[in-house]
Amino acid sequence: MDRALGICVIGCGRAGMIHAHSFKGSVSGARLAAICDPAPDRLREAAEELGYPACYERYEGALEDPAVDAVVVVTPTDAHRDVVPAAAAAGKHVLCEKPMAASPAQCDEMIAACEAAGVKLQIGFMRRFDPGFRRMKELLDAGEAGEPTLVKSLTHGPSEPQDRMYDVSRSGGPLAEVNSHDFDTLRWLAGSEVAWVHAVGHNFRSPEVAAEYPDYYDTAACLLEFENGVLGMVEGSQYVRYGYDARAEVLGTTGHLSVGTQQANSVVLARGDGQLVEDSMPTWRTLFSAAYMEEDAAFVRCVHDGTEPEVAGHDGKMALMLVESAIRSLREGCPVRVGE
């Protein structure tokens, strides 16, 4: 392709607008051609903010636009199984936000549709594109810490759960809402698939919903054993209040690697009462702003160069399988083999 890739962002919520602003002028080789959202007010506000690209309330209309070469799918997860195959059938390349779908079977359908149409399918695990996480992976692959023995990843989110999140049968709790990035990160760092998962969780911060939602948990810990023998740990929490927190560690045979910080900046206030005060990270949108930009740029490069995406449909499917296995382990109170 010898022209700028025309991008349509389907879904104008928080993550959708991050992608839209990237393609509006920050990503070489691409341009924001259109936006799509079924909510007229949100679509109008997004159009005003983005300088009035082509607007569609129905994704089918966007897929018929010849100026659109690729789509970024940022709809609710249960809509991915419809939007992604339709985009593929229309010849549009796809960057699909996580979670990839509602089930591994739906992931298979989406992967097959894109393969049959000959279009790219990239999944939105942006931590793989974060400068810090990428540097840690480079050092690990170079053997600077020896062979990996234990990999850890955590995500703590500050937001108060929405009502639907209390119903674990609908939301999956933080293992689904928060930790899919962590599961993908550990697969990436360990260089292996997971064999066994054992998860536990409890409700510490919302006791007022315990009677109506006895299965709800806001904090979970998960132990993993990879097929190559590496051990893993995932930690997830909702409604922590102190700020957004995402970190990872690798313990190697000869060294240790870590990435992530709770600080929003390097400013430290030394007060007269002897206290040191720092600002905590407010949101994932701040922490991973550079990662989103590079994720979008990588998607454009793979389309222009005809190469495979760094994070493919298989990665989205495997993260979902790990989430499902962890939730089953938590419910059954015992370790489970992934995929069984």
Side-chain angles (χ1 to χ4, degrees):
M1 183 174 290
D2 56 3
R3 61 178 176 81
L5 195 70
I7 304 290
C8 176
V9 174
I10 303 177
C12 296
R14 295 178 301 174
M17 291 302 287
I18 293 175
H19 289 290
H21 279 288
S22 292
F23 289 117
K24 187 172 181 283
S26 302
V27 175
S28 177
R31 65 182 184 86
L32 182 65
I35 57 175
C36 176
D37 197 287
D41 290 343
R42 186 163 57 219
L43 183 63
R44 182 178 63 256
E45 292 173 1
E48 293 174 355
E49 184 174 329
L50 295 167
Y52 295 98
C55 296
Y56 297 93
E57 291 186 17
R58 299 175 63 253
Y59 70 84
E60 294 90 346
L63 298 180
E64 294 173 356
D65 189 336
V68 173
D69 302 301
V71 298
V72 183
V73 180
V74 205
T75 63
T77 301
D78 57 5
H80 291 181
R81 68 176 301 182
D82 296 322
V83 178
V84 171
K92 315 298 184 183
H93 301 283
V94 179
L95 169 54
C96 180
E97 269 296 349
K98 67 86 192 171
M100 182 177 173
S103 70
Q106 291 181 8
C107 294
D108 286 335
E109 294 173 6
M110 294 159 62
I111 293 169
C114 291
E115 289 178 347
V119 300
K120 306 297 182 185
L121 173 60
Q122 179 173 314
I123 306 303
F125 286 122
M126 78 290 187
R127 291 187 194 183
R128 295 206 197 190
F129 299 94
D130 175 80
F133 279 76
R134 288 179 81 88
R135 179 56 176 159
M136 183 169 72
K137 174 65 170 171
E138 289 173 1
L139 292 170
L140 179 63
D141 290 347
E144 295 294 334
E147 294 298 318
T149 63
L150 175 64
V151 291
K152 304 179 189 178
S153 186
L154 69 81
T155 303
H156 298 169
S159 300
E160 183 175 5
Q162 302 173 17
D163 289 344
R164 67 172 182 82
M165 295 179 182
Y166 294 125
D167 186 349
V168 175
S169 65
R170 294 179 59 197
S171 72
L175 285 167
E177 295 282 344
V178 175
N179 291 128
S180 58
H181 282 294
D182 300 282
F183 288 122
D184 179 70
T185 296
L186 293 194
R187 287 183 57 250
W188 182 49
L189 294 175
S192 174
E193 301 297 355
V194 179
W196 291 90
V197 174
H198 188 191
V200 292
H202 294 288
N203 175 6
F204 294 104
R205 299 179 184 83
S206 302
E208 69 279 2
V209 306
E212 184 175 1
Y213 299 104
D215 294 335
Y216 173 71
Y217 63 101
D218 56 31
T219 301
C222 188
L223 179 65
L224 303 87
E225 182 179 3
F226 289 84
E227 292 177 355
N228 64 0
V230 172
L231 302 180
M233 296 178 66
V234 166
E235 176 191 326
S237 293
Q238 292 176 310
Y239 203 22
V240 296
R241 297 179 175 87
Y242 69 85
Y244 184 81
D245 196 356
R247 289 173 279 154
E249 296 182 35
V250 178
L251 177 62
T253 52
T254 62
H256 177 267
L257 292 162
S258 62
V259 64
T261 177
Q262 298 178 60
Q263 287 75 34
N265 50 57
S266 59
V267 176
V268 180
L269 168 64
R271 299 194 318 198
D273 60 2
Q275 299 296 310
L276 298 178
V277 181
E278 299 177 83
D279 297 325
S280 63
M281 185 63 64
T283 172
W284 51 270
R285 298 188 297 280
T286 301
L287 179 59
F288 290 115
S289 58
Y292 274 104
M293 191 85 68
E294 180 53 32
E295 174 184 68
D296 292 335
F299 174 60
V300 171
R301 287 196 299 270
C302 81
V303 174
H304 278 296
D305 298 343
T307 55
E308 291 304 307
E310 291 189 43
V311 190
H314 174 73
D315 299 302
K317 175 184 176 181
M318 293 310 300
L320 184 60
M321 288 181 64
L322 290 177
V323 168
E324 289 189 346
S325 296
I327 292 173
R328 184 160 66 90
S329 171
L330 187 149
R331 287 173 170 164
E332 296 178 2
C334 63
V336 301
R337 180 174 285 279
V338 176
E340 291 185 353

